[in-house]
């Protein structure tokens, strides 16, 4: 549901006394710069607790408006005190609508929401109303070095470029390719081809054997089968690890085997491969 907006008189707004950082001082030069930006366009609304008129999020924008003589700010009224997690979710909804955040800042916000709620990517995607494949790309970028993240921030690399680079195991090679892509010397599509060559060959120079099915009878009488396309043992280990993680979460949520199987099927269909 899209939050309701309204205009607030700056003179009527107050900084939230319950905010631990509510008494901190801001750099005046930064506030003046922010004030100039607010006069041109207010990218993000403030969040206001009514009827007290406390600013739950946006105290820095309020201080800039007060210093710069700005009369009104756009805001979202809420009738109850919000937790930090609730504020993050509301800010994420606003960001999806107005897109003021950079790719990296957006990724950090989404990651915080996922961790605060102990959600899977599928659950987070459903809450945000975005695709799970987009989350995969966004979170992949957070695994890159700060230098590569900054290149994404500056527009030298796309979000998709950063995701492909995050899958290159050699961090030195990752950075080299980032500069090559940014300079237009290498196309991002060619990086995808390199991903298939990351597995080192064995001592004889031959690639590991790949099969479509790995069946493992256990002493308990249970048989575990992992099937797929061109599976290596490393692929099976990774799949088993992911499955075990999801099964533990399902157990904590008291799901039965049938329901868990259905959840897995839906997740696979929802996420799929990142385009």
């Amino acid at each position: 549901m899209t939050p309701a907006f309204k205009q607030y008189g700056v003179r009527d707004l107050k900084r939230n006394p319950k905010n631990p950082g509510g008494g901190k001082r801001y750099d005046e030069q930064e506030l003046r710069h922010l004030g100039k930006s607010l006069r041109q366009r207010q990218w993000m609304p403030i969040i206001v607790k009514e009827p007290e008129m406390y600013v739950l999020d946006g105290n820095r924008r309020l201080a800039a408006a007060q210093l710069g003589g700005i009369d009104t700010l756009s805001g979202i009224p809420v009738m109850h005190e919000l937790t930090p997690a609730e504020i993050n979710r509301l800010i994420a909804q606003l960001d999806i609508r107005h897109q003021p955040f950079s790719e990296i800042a957006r990724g950090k916000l989404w990651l915080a929401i996922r961790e605060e709620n102990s959600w899977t990517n599928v659950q987070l995607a459903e809450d945000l109303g975005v695709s799970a494949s987009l989350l995969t790309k966004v979170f992949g970028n957070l695994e890159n070095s700060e230098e590569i993240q900054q290149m994404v921030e500056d527009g030298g690399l796309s979000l998709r470029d950063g995701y492909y680079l995050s899958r290159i195991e050699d961090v030195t090679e990752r950075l080299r390719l980032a500069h090559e892509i940014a300079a237009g010397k290498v196309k991002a599509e060619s990086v995808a081809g390199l991903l298939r060559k990351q597995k080192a060959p064995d001592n004889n120079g031959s690639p590991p054997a790949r099969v479509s099915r790995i069946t493992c009878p256990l002493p308990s009488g249970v048989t575990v089968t992992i099937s797929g396309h061109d599976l290596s043992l490393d692929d099976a280990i990774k799949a088993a690890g992911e499955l075990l993680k999801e099964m533990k979460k399902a157990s904590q949520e008291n799901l039965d085997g049938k329901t868990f199987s259905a959840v897995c099927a839906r997740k696979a269909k929802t996420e799929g491969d990142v385009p």
Side-chain angles (χ1 to χ4, degrees), residues 160-193:
R160 187 178 183 183
D161 295 337
Y163 166 71
Y164 280 137
L165 289 167
S166 72
R167 298 180 64 193
I168 298 293
E169 294 177 354
D170 187 329
V171 293
T172 301
E173 177 69 2
R174 189 186 298 182
L175 182 59
R176 184 190 72 79
L177 286 170
H179 285 288
E180 293 283 296
I181 295 172
K185 298 178 180 179
V186 173
K187 292 185 177 180
E189 289 76 9
S190 64
V191 178

Side-chain angles (χ1 to χ4, degrees), residues 66-101:
Q66 292 170 332
L67 181 64
I70 297 174
D71 294 330
T72 62
L73 287 174
S74 177
I76 296 175
V78 296
M79 300 301 136
H80 66 280
E81 200 80 34
L82 300 181
T83 66
E86 289 173 328
I87 290 176
N88 276 345
R89 290 180 67 191
L90 182 53
I91 292 174
Q93 293 171 11
L94 296 172
D95 169 58
I96 290 171
R97 179 177 178 182
H98 298 282
Q99 297 287 308
F101 288 176

